Amino acid sequence: SFLISISFSQIFFSEYAEGSSNNKYLEIYNADDHDVDLGLYSLSSCANGCNDADTWDYPNNVEFANGTIVSPGEVYVVCNGSADPTILGQCDQYFTYLSNGDDVMGLTQVSTGGILDIIGTIGPDPGSGWSVAGVSNATKDHTLVRKSSIPSGNLGDWSSSAGTNADNSEWEVYDQNTWDFLGFH
């Protein structure tokens, strides 16, 4: 089972984009006061929801080389290698199979499989995407930016993170192809 508790997540998703064509990326932020080696973490995913509630379709789908350091207050961007030059200019690592809106993406600890942060709900395909901040299908054709008041990842609790309105969501929802916040948090 990958629902292992991690007490604190010093790194988390600060931005997510499901843009037009291949304009897709995930931004990881280091909120801690010391360097983080991303080699201890990975991105795990499921295509169209997850086939079951106990395993990722693609565990450790994106791995980071040992010694991939993210300094305090800095970000690391994983993007589609065919994205717009604006995105490519901020990209640190390429990965082709980023979400089409209904693919669960998790920031996971390699040694335990524990979830530090997640976008989407483990379980059945949601259809086009998940609602965020009261916006239907917000993970499809939108950019999500984590509110600066959020200090850590959701540890796998997507529904609390997504919220039901703009006030109780951890995310701000922007129109598709909004990249104004990419490269910093």
Side-chain angles (χ1 to χ4, degrees):
S1 173
F2 51 77
L3 292 176
I4 297 170
S5 175
I6 297 175
S7 60
F8 179 74
S9 170
Q10 75 272 15
I11 59 172
F12 57 87
F13 294 130
S14 51
E15 194 162 334
Y16 159 98
E18 203 285 303
S20 61
S21 186
N22 292 315
N23 297 319
K24 302 171 192 310
Y25 62 84
L26 281 169
E27 180 184 82
I28 301 167
Y29 175 66
N30 178 3
D32 211 336
D33 57 1
H34 64 275
D35 289 349
V36 170
D37 183 352
L38 282 183
L40 302 172
Y41 306 96
S42 64
L43 298 179
S44 297
S45 64
C46 291
N48 309 319
C50 287
N51 289 335
D52 64 59
D54 292 324
T55 57
W56 291 102
D57 292 349
Y58 306 100
N60 303 322
N61 204 13
V62 177
E63 295 183 329
F64 306 103
N66 286 333
T68 301
I69 301 300
V70 181
S71 297
E74 296 296 319
V75 297
Y76 189 89
V77 178
V78 177
C79 77
N80 185 298
S82 299
D84 182 275
T86 302
I87 297 170
L88 293 176
Q90 298 294 329
C91 192
D92 296 295
Q93 184 169 331
Y94 299 134
F95 183 68
T96 301
Y97 305 105
L98 293 168
S99 182
N100 288 321
D102 63 350
D103 302 326
V104 181
M105 301 299 295
L107 179 59
T108 50
Q109 192 172 38
V110 173
S111 63
T112 65
I115 300 169
L116 282 74
D117 207 3
I118 196 166
I119 296 173
T121 302
I122 295 168
D125 187 342
S128 295
W130 287 274
S131 294
V132 180
V135 177
S136 181
N137 295 321
T139 56
K140 174 80 173 157
D141 300 331
H142 289 91
T143 298
L144 305 178
V145 177
R146 205 69 165 269
K147 292 178 180 176
S148 61
S149 60
I150 304 304
S152 64
N154 59 35
L155 304 177
D157 185 357
W158 171 247
S159 58
S160 291
S161 180
T164 57
N165 59 55
D167 292 332
N168 67 17
S169 178
E170 295 183 354
W171 300 89
E172 295 173 346
V173 180
Y174 292 92
D175 290 339
Q176 186 178 44
N177 299 331
T178 300
W179 308 319
D180 301 351
F181 309 100
L182 178 60
F184 65 92
H185 181 62

